[in-house]
Amino acid sequence: MTMEKRQYVVTGATSRTGNIVSKSLLETGARVRVLGRSAKRLEPLAQLGAEVCIVEPLDAEALNTAFVGVDAAYVMLQPNYIPDHPDFRGYQDRLVDNLGRALEQSGVSHAVGLSSWGAELPAGNGPVAGLHRLEERLGRIAGLNFLALRAGYFMENLFSLHLEGGALTGPFQPETKLPFVATRDVGEAAANALQALDFTGKGCLEVKGPHASDMLKTASILGEALGRPLLPYTMEPLETFRQKLTRAGCSDSIIELMLEVVESINSGRLHAQWPHSPEDARRMSLETFIREQWAPRIRLENQ
Ligand SMILES: NC(=O)c1ccc[n+]([C@@H]2O[C@H](COP(=O)([O-])OP(=O)(O)OC[C@H]3O[C@@H](n4cnc5c(N)ncnc54)[C@H](OP(=O)(O)O)[C@@H]3O)[C@@H](O)[C@H]2O)c1
């Protein structure tokens, strides 16, 4: 199997991680089939030479067809937080089933799956339980070499936190450590694994940034970037967090799961399993992310 002839499929190709995976693989000259629901959103990847395939993730037949003739796949569970989807767990299970079948039927030899820290836990971890089930399901496919990428806490999640009354405000305990990672780095880790195809059997890999941070430290880094040293952090009650998710248009189903994952993180039940690796040390730091991406947004919001 030469690099030029390799055929990849990327699910969720317009996602933050899938987009990086698609572009990185296209840069190697490989054939890349990119999956998504909208030709318009996939057009930038078509311009780079990707084969566009319009697939609604719940359409099992279309997904099976999209996996035909593929050597290696990037698979993920698309978030679906829209209010008219009343059963997020059920939605995740259908995606897991569909991906499992598509991989089985096509006989793909290698797949990298986007999973999460905490996916070793079968329950009590909110939406992450769906990723546990993804790992289990793909882990049972005979002949498939499967690598689950257990990504840390996405730095981009910070975009949903704001300054309120002069303090950074969020639902996390002030001193609970989060294994921050930039989505760009998760995509790059997936692309590297898919290019090397050096994983065999079933395995998993935690993908984190150079260091974990708690909210006190995160507020302090943000404060430095904003020229407001000693920026305080306020932990909001879970009820306030619930109301914010409702206002943001999340379904009741996803809200319950979000509250569960926050409680699980705050209690320490959900935590990274491995120490930071030398690869982790080379990834984007929280300081860089905050200075270059988050602080400019906060400045705009607070003008
Ligand atoms: N947030 C975290 O800290 C964290 C940590 C570890 C793992 N994860 C996992 O990472 C995954 C998300 O990855 P990401 O950030 O790369 O994704 P993302 O950027 O949020 O994009 C998800 C893609 O899903 C599709 N999508 C959006 N709404 C949809 C809907 N209602 N129905 C069907 N498809 C929809 C969109 O594609 P089209 O519209 O083009 O079809 C979009 O490009 C999730 O499985 C999550 O559990 C998250």
Side-chain angles (χ1 to χ4, degrees):
M1 191 162 56
T2 62
M3 183 63 84
E4 296 76 57
K5 290 192 182 146
R6 214 176 257 165
Q7 173 73 61
Y8 292 100
V9 67
V10 178
T11 68
T14 59
S15 69
R16 294 171 296 192
T17 54
N19 201 247
I20 298 285
V21 174
S22 304
K23 286 181 179 161
S24 304
L25 294 175
L26 285 165
E27 275 169 20
T28 69
R31 291 181 293 155
V32 184
R33 193 173 295 156
V34 291
L35 273 50
R37 296 171 304 162
S38 146
K40 193 170 169 211
R41 285 196 291 278
L42 290 165
E43 180 55 24
L45 291 172
Q47 297 283 340
L48 297 173
E51 176 196 351
V52 166
C53 199
I54 305 303
V55 175
E56 155 62 48
L58 291 179
D59 182 343
E61 232 168 87
L63 201 66
N64 287 346
T65 306
F67 274 59
V68 169
V70 163
D71 299 304
Y74 176 69
V75 297
M76 64 172 292
L77 299 189
Q78 289 84 353
N80 181 348
Y81 301 160
I82 50 175
D84 60 352
H85 211 291
D87 177 11
F88 189 71
R89 273 189 209 285
Y91 164 79
Q92 283 183 314
D93 285 344
R94 284 177 65 194
L95 294 184
V96 168
D97 264 4
N98 289 354
L99 288 170
R101 272 202 214 114
L103 285 164
E104 262 161 7
Q105 291 188 11
S106 60
V108 173
S109 68
H110 288 76
V112 170
L114 177 55
S115 185
S116 174
W117 62 306
E120 73 283 356
L121 302 170
N125 48 358
V128 180
L131 300 172
H132 176 87
R133 295 194 293 279
L134 176 76
E135 289 191 13
E136 293 248 293
R137 174 68 179 87
L138 304 199
R140 286 200 305 271
I141 299 178
L144 176 71
N145 299 296
F146 174 58
L147 179 65
L149 284 191
R150 290 200 180 152
Y153 188 76
F154 290 171
M155 291 179 187
E156 287 81 353
N157 295 345
L158 290 171
F159 294 152
S160 66
L161 303 189
H162 308 278
L163 299 190
E164 293 176 25
L168 177 65
T169 306
F172 295 111
Q173 293 277 3
E175 293 182 23
T176 295
K177 289 232 184 293
L178 300 169
F180 282 102
V181 66
T183 52
R184 181 202 72 184
D185 287 326
V186 177
E188 279 179 5
N192 290 341
L194 285 165
Q195 280 165 46
L197 289 195
D198 54 359
F199 51 97
T200 52
K202 318 293 180 206
C204 63
L205 180 69
E206 255 181 20
V207 181
K208 306 190 287 278
H211 63 81
S213 178
D214 60 31
M215 293 316 293
L216 289 177
K217 167 103 175 125
T218 303
S220 140
I221 301 169
L222 178 65
E224 289 293 329
L226 294 172
R228 296 168 66 169
L230 307 179
L231 183 71
Y233 171 72
T234 304
M235 182 184 170
E236 66 197 359
L238 276 189
E239 194 42 43
T240 308
F241 181 56
R242 176 197 293 277
Q243 287 160 8
K244 285 182 180 173
L245 291 173
T246 303
R247 282 200 297 275
C250 294
S251 65
D252 288 344
S253 164
I254 194 69
I255 289 174
E256 290 316 313
L257 295 174
M258 290 295 198
L259 293 175
E260 185 175 274
V261 75
V262 167
E263 279 177 320
S264 167
I265 291 171
N266 282 341
S267 71
R269 212 170 96 75
L270 200 151
H271 58 269
Q273 302 288 297
W274 291 292
H276 285 72
S277 69
E279 289 79 37
D280 292 337
R282 286 191 280 274
R283 298 198 174 106
M284 188 189 293
S285 70
L286 187 62
E287 285 78 358
T288 303
F289 176 85
I290 289 179
R291 192 178 57 248
E292 294 180 357
Q293 298 191 44
W294 191 27
R297 286 181 179 233
I298 295 277
R299 255 188 232 109
L300 274 179
E301 278 175 24
N302 292 277
Q303 266 175 8

